Amino acid sequence: MQPWTSTSVPRLPGHGRPLRLYDTAAGQVRPTAPEKTARMYVCGITPYDATHLGHAATYLAFDLVNRYWRDAGHDVHYVQNVTDVDDPLLERARRDQDDWIVLGMRETALFREDMESLRILPPRDFVGAVEAIGEIVEVVGKLLACGAGYRVEDAAHPDIYFDHQAAAHFGSESGYDSATMARLSAERGGDPERPGKRHPLDALMWRTAREGEPSWDSELGPGRPGWHVECCAIGLNRLGTGFDVQGGGSDLIFPHHEFSAAHAEALTGEYPMARHYVHTGMIGLNGEKMSKSKGNLVFVSRLRADRVDPMALRLALLSGYYRADRSWTTGMLDEAVARLDRWRHAVELPAGAPAQETVSRLRAHLSDDLDTPGALAAVDAWATETLARRGRDVDAPALLSTAVDALLGIAL
């Protein structure tokens, strides 16, 4: 797949301290330690609906990681998948009497437009599950051959599952107990009641062909891939093991990221798949959980159609801490519009308050587990001083504008 068009990232003088991020597996904030090329995999969309604010907040958080590493002098190899064949997509296509391929292509195109408007840097590799069928089949075949995978005894549908006990470190990514795992597996696409499974937690890797569903011929027999093994194959084949960050929303901690890691461990014998497992909080609406079933999703494309400045939307989402579950309100957007206006007014002045210390504070806040509220407050303080005193440093507005662009992705 082709990613969206990138925006240029200006270079700032100097550099910040090492980036520290909360690692779900470790249960603490730890420094990242990438080599010359930082490696990051962030799980992408299942394209059966438009990009909502939860998606935007997640990809925005990892855009900050990308930008901070670049500011520190790293190249960044960023990989993102698109789950363009899976049950939710097929169910939506049947409900709407739509072609599942057309639906997936349409929503993926809209996603690209949304990401580009928000100035989120595109991945180097933007990979759909459909185009990765061959490599997924290879991974499933190897796991089957080494005993980590097995077929259920079902003459009609001998699906292939992963034996979660084949990974010695299974459970170390989420840290959840067995009861929590069982509950979340049932809620998030698992099939604990499937007859023939060795254990209710075992995850589907290859679903044999069913009437009315898409399938691909392969050495495994006709069928289509499971979700978790998709990300394992795409990530390992492009980044190798021990890459720096595996990212996504907190609803991916289990079973998705746990099983992707377990697949990788059983396949390669190496642990861990990622050095950091980083997860973003959920976005609600007016104090209530945002969900498709409640019909209260706020879509980026709808806001764009209403002529909301994407930079104001970006600022509104940055005003909250990325790991916190938080609620979206119209007041947040109003505050972001006012903040954006103040910043733009301040950098348009011929001179401003000295900005070097503000840039240092901006870097310091972002290096501390993406403390965006602190980062925005630092820029607010500079803008307030500049607007009140009109300043005397003729280079300050340009420096501040460059820093906000490079580190926060905000075009002033």
Side-chain angles (χ1 to χ4, degrees):
M1 284 188 172
Q2 289 296 318
W4 52 97
T5 303
S6 185
T7 185
S8 62
V9 180
R11 290 293 302 161
L12 278 171
H15 56 83
R17 62 192 72 177
L19 175 64
R20 301 171 68 249
L21 294 171
Y22 184 86
D23 176 14
T24 298
Q28 61 181 345
V29 176
R30 301 191 300 110
T32 62
E35 298 177 354
K36 173 60 178 175
T37 297
R39 298 173 294 159
M40 177 168 65
Y41 186 99
V42 179
C43 292
I45 61 167
T46 301
Y48 63 95
D49 212 339
T51 314
H52 57 70
L53 291 183
H55 293 136
T58 291
Y59 299 120
L60 177 53
F62 294 103
D63 187 60
L64 297 183
V65 174
N66 193 341
R67 289 171 178 275
Y68 194 89
W69 276 338
R70 288 169 184 256
D71 180 62
H74 296 285
D75 295 324
V76 180
H77 189 172
Y78 173 25
V79 179
Q80 187 179 131
N81 71 306
V82 178
T83 304
D84 54 355
V85 59
D86 200 15
D87 289 342
L89 175 64
L90 302 178
E91 290 165 3
R92 178 61 59 86
R94 283 194 294 268
R95 188 199 74 178
D96 296 346
Q97 298 183 340
D98 204 349
D99 183 295
W100 68 272
I101 297 176
V102 173
L103 173 62
M105 292 177 64
R106 183 173 66 241
E107 297 302 340
T108 301
L110 184 57
F111 173 74
R112 289 191 188 96
E113 293 175 8
D114 290 337
M115 294 297 99
E116 189 171 331
S117 73
L118 290 170
R119 303 183 84 237
I120 290 175
L121 301 176
R124 182 187 301 181
D125 297 303
F126 189 52
V127 187
V130 169
E131 65 184 297
I133 292 291
E135 56 194 278
I136 297 169
V137 166
E138 183 179 2
V139 167
V140 174
K142 289 179 178 178
L143 289 171
L144 191 60
C146 75
Y150 64 93
R151 289 187 184 272
V152 296
E153 295 183 3
D154 184 331
H157 301 298
D159 302 327
I160 301 175
Y161 282 82
F162 178 78
D163 185 341
H164 74 283
Q165 296 178 328
H169 296 89
F170 184 82
S172 63
E173 183 268 332
S174 66
Y176 294 154
D177 59 31
S178 57
T180 302
M181 289 182 180
R183 175 177 59 82
L184 292 177
S185 177
E187 292 175 359
R188 297 174 178 174
D191 54 358
E193 303 302 321
R194 171 70 155 96
K197 290 174 63 173
R198 293 176 183 172
H199 191 283
L201 285 181
D202 291 352
L204 177 71
M205 294 196 294
W206 188 255
R207 178 178 170 87
T208 56
R210 266 74 160 173
E211 184 177 356
E213 293 185 2
S215 65
W216 287 262
D217 291 331
S218 75
E219 63 195 53
L220 304 172
R224 59 183 171 92
W227 179 27
H228 317 312
V229 73
E230 168 196 340
C231 284
C232 170
I234 292 172
L236 288 183
N237 286 342
R238 287 154 186 82
L239 297 174
T241 57
F243 53 86
D244 296 289
V245 165
Q246 164 85 67
S250 60
D251 55 340
L252 299 186
I253 295 173
F254 191 92
H256 186 51
H257 285 173
E258 190 74 73
F259 270 100
S260 293
H263 292 334
E265 180 185 354
L267 181 69
T268 67
E270 298 181 31
Y271 170 86
M273 182 174 77
R275 298 175 184 174
H276 267 75
Y277 288 92
V278 182
H279 297 100
T280 59
M282 298 290 101
I283 303 295
L285 178 64
N286 296 322
E288 188 175 39
K289 181 179 179 181
M290 199 181 292
S291 69
K292 294 177 179 66
S293 61
K294 293 180 179 179
N296 64 347
L297 294 176
V298 178
F299 296 111
V300 173
S301 54
R302 180 69 264 171
L303 293 171
R304 290 197 293 118
D306 291 339
R307 300 186 181 279
V308 171
D309 188 330
M311 295 302 93
L313 178 54
R314 188 169 175 125
L315 267 177
L317 291 171
L318 289 176
S319 67
Y321 187 43
Y322 84 98
R323 281 200 287 124
D325 292 341
R326 53 204 190 276
S327 186
W328 174 262
T329 66
T330 55
M332 289 171 58
L333 187 55
D334 293 340
E335 291 174 7
V337 169
R339 170 177 268 150
L340 185 62
D341 286 344
R342 287 197 307 274
W343 289 9
R344 284 176 170 167
H345 186 192
V347 300
E348 287 171 355
L349 296 176
Q356 291 87 347
E357 179 59 30
T358 300
V359 173
S360 296
R361 290 176 59 200
L362 188 56
R363 281 172 163 152
H365 283 296
L366 291 177
S367 73
D368 186 16
D369 199 26
L370 304 181
D371 174 19
T372 53
L376 301 194
V379 181
D380 283 340
W382 178 88
T384 297
E385 183 177 359
T386 293
L387 292 170
R389 298 171 55 186
R390 299 290 172 176
R392 295 186 299 276
D393 187 340
V394 296
D395 297 322
L399 175 60
L400 195 285
S401 182
T402 298
V404 168
D405 185 349
L407 298 170
L408 297 177
I410 305 293
L412 296 179

